[in-house]
Amino acid sequence: MTVLLQIRENGKKLIGMYDKTKKYVLKFMYHYIHPKRVLKIKRRMKNKIKNNGKINVIFLVQFPEMWNTQKSIYDAMVKDKAFSVKILAIPKRQVNNLFYTTFDKKKNESYQFFKNIGFEVLNTYESGKWADIATLEPDYIFLQRPYESFLPKRYSMYTLSRYALLCYVPYGYEFVKGIHLEIEYNMTMLDNIYMIFCENQDTYEYCCNKNRESLENGSKKVFNMGYPRFDLILQESPERKLQQRKTVLWLPRWSIDETNDRSYFFDYLECMLHYFEENAMHSLIIRPHPLMFQNFMDNGVISKDEVEQLKTRIQFVSNIKFDENTDYLDTFRQSDILVADFTSLLIEFFLMRKPILYCGSTINFNSVGKIMEEGIYSIPNKDSLISTLSDLLNEKDRKRDQYIAAAKKIAPVNKNIGNEIRMAILHNARI
């Protein structure tokens, strides 16, 4: 018994020593190396500005579906002569495991997306090699997502942060607390990002608490300016024209994990298809999360053949289709009703003042989520989904006043968030 107790005590001491060592190593890296790197970049930038040089800003884009997060910032900077702005397109990740990572170098969806809409864009992979971003002498780099594993190693956050100040605007609007924030604001991201532009007060407070020491020593800046995607939505009239033939948009989630707000795709697939096969007067658009089918196949819950069979089945139903629009806002505009699992796109449809049938949990909603909850239709099962959908398609919208009032509370008035972020960057470059 004495031997066991001694082993246990020694084990505790070893764990304590490990934790202490890790803490001091992280503290050394974080509080001594990173601030010096920031100061070095800022000195270089100030000298350039003194000599009438431009502030070089790069937008790294890997997911064209998420470009709306950065678009109004890009538009504001392009109009300002103080900036030189470039878009760099990174191919999407194809395979990722312990042994190797591959990228879709031939297709590069982001590059094709910008070329098709007439934007000037640089391809990060050409003629068999990756572009050296350092040669562009960037001062600020806007990252699209905070997940290192999706990026080529040469564009890791640590590598990029050696020669530019990294900026991050959340790729999705967080209206929940807990695990989503922990995943998004992970250690790698927090170690390397210099400026975080939060979308709401809840995220702002979370980031300030996580980065208290970094804010004090100047190695990080955190702002609460609102969400740049709202700029694109609030430009349009919120008034909704009612039509006899209605379009329902369905946004199924990618996750099969209960702790990460799982997808209800399989729960509701058959009843949704059956309903619209029987009600040809109305249309259904299915827009899965970009990672959904691949994640389902990777986890063995559906096979590639079954995915193809489903797509073939839908091809033969005239009023049902999978959405192939790169820009989800085009689909939002033509849709009258939304059915959705947990997705950060929820709030954008909400601001369009259209009814939402929400299939996810509301337990972890933050202060913004609680406002939204007043106006959404919470869906617990198939029967509730079909009956609520039927009511809405027949103009029985009992929550219309609630979601319009809630949307007015959430949406900023007369505010261009992209331009405010431009001004924050300009001010930061000059001080």
Side-chain angles (χ1 to χ4, degrees), residues 410-423:
I410 294 169
V413 180
N414 299 325
K415 190 175 182 183
N416 186 313
I417 298 152
N419 190 53
E420 291 202 7
I421 292 174
R422 173 197 67 84
M423 290 191 290

Side-chain angles (χ1 to χ4, degrees), residues 181-206:
L181 285 168
E182 292 166 14
I183 292 170
E184 185 169 4
Y185 297 95
N186 55 76
M187 178 68 84
T188 304
M189 183 268 199
L190 292 177
D191 276 353
N192 295 293
I193 297 290
Y194 172 63
M195 299 179 90
I196 301 173
F197 295 95
C198 302
E199 74 280 27
N200 60 44
Q201 184 66 22
D202 293 77
T203 303
Y204 174 74
E205 289 175 6
Y206 179 88

Side-chain angles (χ1 to χ4, degrees), residues 59-67 70 87-94 101-105 107-114 121-122 124 130 142-153 155 290-291 326:
F59 289 84
L60 284 184
V61 182
Q62 191 175 31
F63 290 80
E65 305 93 327
M66 297 175 185
W67 171 238
Q70 300 165 316
I87 299 172
L88 267 66
I90 300 179
K92 283 184 179 177
R93 187 182 74 178
Q94 286 180 307
T101 302
T102 62
F103 294 86
D104 194 355
K105 298 167 185 173
K107 193 175 180 184
N108 198 340
E109 285 182 39
S110 291
Y111 181 71
Q112 294 303 323
F113 168 76
F114 287 112
V121 57
L122 299 175
T124 54
W130 294 99
F142 276 82
L143 296 181
Q144 204 174 33
R145 297 191 344 140
Y147 307 124
E148 189 94 297
S149 62
F150 282 84
L151 294 167
K153 284 185 180 177
Y155 304 144
L291 302 177
T326 304

Side-chain angles (χ1 to χ4, degrees), residues 8 58 77 187 229 254 262 311 314 334 351 417:
R8 187 180 296 169
I58 285 175
M77 287 182 173
M187 178 68 84
R229 287 195 193 188
W254 60 273
R262 76 172 178 89
K311 290 180 177 179
I314 286 171
Q334 63 181 283
L351 293 187
I417 298 152

Side-chain angles (χ1 to χ4, degrees), residues 295-400:
N295 189 56
F296 287 171
M297 288 188 284
D298 289 347
N299 283 278
V301 295
I302 193 171
S303 69
K304 188 174 182 179
D305 286 343
E306 287 171 324
V307 172
E308 292 306 316
Q309 287 167 19
L310 174 60
K311 290 180 177 179
T312 301
R313 174 184 171 183
I314 286 171
Q315 279 179 354
F316 290 98
V317 185
S318 62
N319 62 325
I320 304 176
K321 68 175 183 179
F322 277 108
D323 185 20
E324 295 181 354
N325 264 331
T326 304
D327 188 350
Y328 62 89
L329 279 181
D330 291 339
T331 308
F332 274 30
R333 292 182 187 107
Q334 63 181 283
S335 302
D336 303 288
I337 299 166
L338 177 66
V339 177
D341 297 334
F342 173 82
T343 169
S344 60
L345 296 180
L346 209 66
I347 194 163
E348 292 172 68
F349 199 89
F350 196 87
L351 293 187
M352 290 182 167
R353 303 177 189 185
K354 301 176 184 180
I356 296 173
L357 286 72
Y358 182 55
C359 306
S361 169
T362 61
I363 292 172
N364 291 316
F365 274 11
N366 64 17
S367 62
V368 178
K370 292 296 182 187
I371 296 171
M372 290 170 57
E373 192 175 2
E374 297 168 15
I376 62 177
Y377 293 91
S378 193
I379 303 299
N381 53 48
K382 293 178 191 176
D383 292 340
S384 173
L385 173 61
I386 298 304
S387 63
T388 307
L389 195 55
S390 183
D391 282 348
L392 290 169
L393 290 170
N394 287 292
E395 301 295 344
K396 296 175 185 176
D397 188 355
R398 57 185 170 79
K399 286 207 167 190
R400 190 167 192 271

Side-chain angles (χ1 to χ4, degrees), residues 147 171 174 176-186 206 253-255 257-262 342 364:
Y147 307 124
Y171 67 94
E174 292 291 3
V176 294
K177 300 172 286 188
I179 191 169
H180 292 283
L181 285 168
E182 292 166 14
I183 292 170
E184 185 169 4
Y185 297 95
N186 55 76
Y206 179 88
R253 186 162 167 73
W254 60 273
S255 174
D257 185 358
E258 289 283 357
T259 61
N260 192 15
D261 290 286
R262 76 172 178 89
F342 173 82
N364 291 316

Side-chain angles (χ1 to χ4, degrees), residues 90-142:
I90 300 179
K92 283 184 179 177
R93 187 182 74 178
Q94 286 180 307
V95 176
N96 184 56
N97 58 40
L98 289 170
F99 305 104
Y100 66 99
T101 302
T102 62
F103 294 86
D104 194 355
K105 298 167 185 173
K106 290 182 180 177
K107 193 175 180 184
N108 198 340
E109 285 182 39
S110 291
Y111 181 71
Q112 294 303 323
F113 168 76
F114 287 112
K115 292 295 283 185
N116 291 342
I117 61 176
F119 273 39
E120 190 175 332
V121 57
L122 299 175
N123 192 343
T124 54
Y125 188 86
E126 279 189 312
S127 304
K129 59 183 181 181
W130 294 99
D132 183 359
I133 295 178
T135 61
L136 300 173
E137 300 182 347
D139 299 307
Y140 295 90
I141 296 176
F142 276 82

